[in-house]
Amino acid sequence: MVMEKEETDLRELFKLGPNVKISEEQTKLILYNLLCALKYLHSANVIHRDIKPANILINADCQVKICDYGISRTFPESMVGSGSGNSKRVRDSLIKTKL
């Protein structure tokens, strides 16, 4: 297993404040990537339970990775319901691969 080294986390970016120049486009891209990552987790019925700036890793290309899943949990299938859209497709594909 190869561990990737990310350049910083969101907490460090906040600490730097005005010393670092992040464009509006980069800010939008980071936010978009973070929302996509959260949507992916939730579509797989995973809740992180410890989202904070230190657990959001960012590289130079504004790619986002969420780390520290120590207290994360999965929803039982009975709580999820029928779902819709992407979450239903992801769940159905996971169920098919387990069989």
Side-chain angles (χ1 to χ4, degrees), residues 17-58:
N19 297 334
V20 65
K21 300 294 182 200
I22 299 177
S23 70
E24 184 177 340
E25 183 178 312
Q26 289 171 315
T27 303
K28 288 179 181 179
L29 186 56
I30 290 169
L31 180 58
Y32 175 78
N33 287 335
L34 176 59
L35 292 173
C36 286
L38 287 171
K39 180 177 166 92
Y40 178 79
L41 285 177
H42 293 169
S43 71
N45 303 330
V46 173
I47 51 173
H48 189 279
R49 298 184 356 158
D50 194 24
I51 293 292
K52 58 187 177 186
N55 290 339
I56 300 169
L57 306 177
I58 304 170

